[in-house]
Amino acid sequence: MARRCCRLRNILICVCTPCCCLTLLYSYAIITIYLHMNSMVLRHIAMVSPNLASPHFVAAGASSNGSSPSVPKTFWEQHLRSDALWNRLQRHVDHRFNPIIRKEKSDMLLERSSSDESLLHQSYFEVTSMASVRENFERLPQQVREFASSMHKRNYPILIQPDGECGAQSEQEKEPPLILFAIKSTALNFRNRRVIRQTWGRVGWVEGQRINSSDGDMGGGYIRRVFLLGKETPEDLGVDISHLLRAESKRHGDILQWDFKDTFFNLTLKDVLFWSWFSHHCSKPLFVLKGDDDVFVNTPKLISYLQDQLEKHRSRNTLHEFMVGEVIGSALPNRVRRSKYFIPESFYRGLYPMYAGGGGVVYSGELTRRLHNISKTIHLFPIDDVYVGMCMIRLNAQPIHHPAFLTFDFTEKEEAQPCSYHTILLVHKRSPSEVVELWADLKDTREQCQGVPLRAVKKIKQKATPSPSV
């Protein structure tokens, strides 16, 4: 009996062993083929559309570690590891929005507006409490160190704000305003603000102007206006001018001032706090022009241009991502220590995203509210227009380049041409006296230059270097 069982066992082993081996080999082949095909598909997606393959904003230097999966890369990620402060802070936040870790949909995570600011605050203190980070922090240049020491703060109280809804407006306003001029200014720039109010930034109805000779009805639109200010102390200025600002606000109703120090690196705060204020107080403006108080704007042609864009983007359902200006691509951080744009490698490593020059840019009211929400997932960056570009990348949106936005000015030869200022929508920089002269000349030559087209895209090559890197 035992001999018979042993013989049966040997037979089963001889028959089953090859079958089991074949089954395992077959399973291994199927898994290998599947993984290879999946890898090919992902590689194809990445080649066709990097944004689709990786819709998340990631600080340069993000990488996997032993405890958590890697965050999807972006096109400017250049380093496998980075000890730069901003990169470490952002990497800490980005793991929170990793779709491998989080099962929710990416878009819902990225555009959620509930408690994301607390996440930024938490990540700041968790990262900066590390001994190695504190040591590197102390070696940052003073200007950068001052910014970094308060980059987790965003809840600054408003000191002065317009009485009316969403800035200064005309009493005769009969339809939703086409555009809100949101102009970055400083406390002492009284003259710049006065000239803007008298010229291109006057509130109320503005008639459009043909942007080429084939245009029909010129149309028009209502303008609103607000000036964005931080705070400058009497110690900094040598005099207390707070009463003058309050009087200016009472007279014109267009001052929006927050209680933070008005410095170059804090211009980013003006964007973030303005987006928040706009989201809570401005339900009507269709567009926002965010610019400096030393720009000149061809308001009549801007009105006609935006009316045309409004119709086009509404028909395509793309108004929620509309931004136009002078677009800068392939930009690098400025590493020249004496430059005001200087960003050391110990603070940030990597490329800059594509962005529109901050001297003057236009975006839709819908995009303004989306920028407010997405900014709660991105740590502040010292260069304001670069930070806006980071927000746009994370929204999977791109600014539109238009040569009629001259944040780097004309060439001398081009400016000397007749009707040159009728070919642009915005130019930077101009003094108050120059703005007055240009506005008068624009009105005097309107009939003569009627129908002169805007600067054409095909005539101007897109700039590859940004203002911060020169």
Side-chain angles (χ1 to χ4, degrees):
M1 183 68 180
R3 188 178 300 168
R4 186 178 302 170
C5 290
C6 183
R7 188 181 304 158
L8 181 60
R9 184 183 62 188
N10 291 338
I11 292 172
L12 289 173
I13 290 173
C14 293
V15 172
C16 294
T17 299
C19 293
C20 291
C21 290
L22 285 173
T23 301
L24 290 172
L25 183 62
Y26 181 70
S27 300
Y28 175 77
I30 291 176
I31 293 171
T32 302
I33 292 171
Y34 171 79
L35 291 175
H36 177 72
M37 292 178 64
N38 191 49
S39 176
M40 292 294 290
V41 169
L42 289 174
R43 191 177 297 115
H44 173 71
I45 292 173
M47 291 174 63
V48 173
S49 177
N51 285 335
L52 289 177
S54 175
H56 298 266
F57 167 80
V58 183
S63 64
S64 61
N65 53 41
S67 61
S68 61
S70 63
V71 180
K73 297 181 180 180
T74 59
F75 71 93
W76 70 80
E77 184 173 0
Q78 301 294 306
H79 311 282
L80 293 179
R81 300 191 65 82
S82 174
D83 291 329
L85 176 60
W86 191 92
N87 299 60
R88 294 187 70 165
L89 289 168
Q90 191 60 41
R91 186 164 65 238
H92 192 283
V93 174
D94 287 337
H95 281 293
R96 179 69 172 78
F97 298 99
N98 190 333
I100 301 174
I101 301 173
R102 304 285 293 179
K103 301 299 183 182
E104 297 92 335
K105 291 183 179 180
S106 304
D107 291 343
M108 292 177 64
L109 277 170
L110 291 175
E111 298 202 44
R112 192 180 55 192
S113 60
S114 56
S115 60
D116 297 323
E117 282 189 33
S118 63
L119 179 62
L120 292 176
H121 198 270
Q122 176 186 349
S123 70
Y124 179 86
F125 286 103
E126 288 182 1
V127 171
T128 55
S129 65
M130 301 176 187
S132 60
V133 174
R134 289 200 304 271
E135 184 179 344
N136 292 334
F137 189 96
E138 295 303 319
R139 290 198 291 263
L140 290 171
Q142 181 179 353
Q143 185 182 17
V144 180
R145 188 168 65 250
E146 288 179 358
F147 172 84
S149 65
S150 60
M151 61 186 290
H152 60 289
K153 298 179 182 178
R154 300 192 183 193
N155 295 322
Y156 293 92
I158 294 177
L159 300 176
I160 302 174
Q161 64 179 323
D163 293 333
E165 180 192 12
C166 195
Q169 57 185 277
S170 169
E171 294 180 358
Q172 286 75 40
E173 195 175 280
K174 299 178 182 178
E175 61 184 57
L178 181 66
I179 188 166
L180 168 68
F181 290 145
I183 309 302
K184 293 180 177 180
S185 188
T186 59
L188 287 178
N189 284 5
F190 292 100
R191 190 180 178 203
N192 296 59
R193 295 191 291 275
R194 176 172 59 82
V195 165
I196 289 172
R197 293 183 187 109
Q198 295 172 348
T199 58
W200 60 262
R202 183 176 297 176
V203 300
W205 176 263
V206 175
E207 184 181 18
Q209 183 179 0
R210 292 186 178 91
I211 55 178
N212 59 62
S213 56
S214 62
D215 284 347
D217 183 20
M218 293 180 292
Y222 282 100
I223 302 292
R224 290 190 186 181
R225 180 189 64 240
V226 65
F227 291 102
L228 314 177
L229 282 72
K231 182 180 179 181
E232 296 179 80
T233 65
E235 291 75 21
D236 294 331
L237 297 178
V239 63
D240 185 0
I241 61 170
S242 57
H243 64 289
L244 296 177
L245 285 175
R246 288 193 294 270
E248 183 181 2
S249 174
K250 185 176 181 179
R251 180 177 181 182
H252 300 286
D254 57 5
I255 301 295
L256 179 55
Q257 184 188 34
W258 295 274
D259 191 12
F260 66 82
K261 190 173 182 180
D262 209 337
T263 64
F264 175 69
F265 276 4
N266 278 346
L267 287 175
T268 305
L269 270 176
K270 290 186 180 180
D271 280 299
V272 170
L273 294 174
F274 166 70
W275 295 338
S276 176
W277 178 82
F278 182 94
S279 299
H280 290 95
H281 295 88
C282 299
S283 59
K284 295 181 180 179
L286 299 173
F287 296 98
V288 169
L289 182 148
K290 191 267 295 179
D292 297 338
D293 65 2
D294 57 355
V295 300
F296 175 78
V297 179
N298 185 341
T299 308
K301 280 207 169 176
L302 180 62
I303 291 291
S304 295
Y305 171 77
L306 291 180
Q307 291 284 14
D308 180 62
Q309 295 302 304
L310 183 63
E311 183 178 343
K312 288 180 180 178
H313 286 274
R314 273 180 170 170
S315 66
R316 301 170 188 164
N317 197 28
T318 54
L319 195 60
H320 65 286
E321 58 186 33
F322 175 80
M323 177 182 286
V324 62
E326 182 163 18
V327 175
I328 301 154
S330 304
L332 295 169
N334 189 304
R335 304 302 191 193
V336 180
R337 183 173 288 271
R338 64 179 179 272
S339 171
K340 72 174 183 177
Y341 300 103
F342 171 59
I343 301 294
E345 286 192 80
S346 56
F347 182 81
Y348 176 81
R349 292 187 70 184
L351 301 176
Y352 282 159
M354 179 184 295
Y355 64 92
V361 61
V362 174
Y363 40 79
S364 68
E366 292 180 40
L367 179 58
T368 309
R369 285 177 274 273
R370 295 180 69 212
L371 288 169
H372 166 57
N373 288 338
I374 206 66
S375 68
K376 297 178 183 181
T377 69
I378 306 174
H379 278 284
L380 296 178
F381 194 79
I383 311 299
D384 57 338
D385 43 13
V386 172
Y387 181 77
V388 177
M390 291 175 172
C391 293
M392 289 290 285
I393 286 291
R394 193 154 193 174
L395 288 173
N396 200 22
Q398 291 185 348
I400 301 166
H401 176 71
H402 200 302
F405 287 81
L406 293 179
T407 55
F408 295 100
D409 213 337
F410 290 103
T411 63
E412 289 186 15
K413 181 178 179 180
E414 187 178 7
E415 186 173 10
Q417 297 295 317
C419 303
S420 59
Y421 281 87
H422 289 267
T423 69
I424 58 101
L425 296 174
L426 177 148
V427 64
H428 182 242
K429 302 178 170 182
R430 294 295 182 269
S431 68
S433 59
E434 288 174 326
V435 169
V436 172
E437 292 175 6
L438 288 171
W439 187 250
D441 184 69
L442 206 66
K443 294 172 65 176
D444 292 341
T445 59
R446 176 164 180 160
E447 185 175 344
Q448 171 190 343
C449 300
Q450 184 81 310
V452 171
L454 294 174
R455 288 160 55 97
V457 174
K458 63 182 180 180
K459 293 182 180 179
I460 306 295
K461 291 183 179 180
Q462 182 172 316
K463 291 184 180 289
T465 55
S467 53
S469 296
V470 297

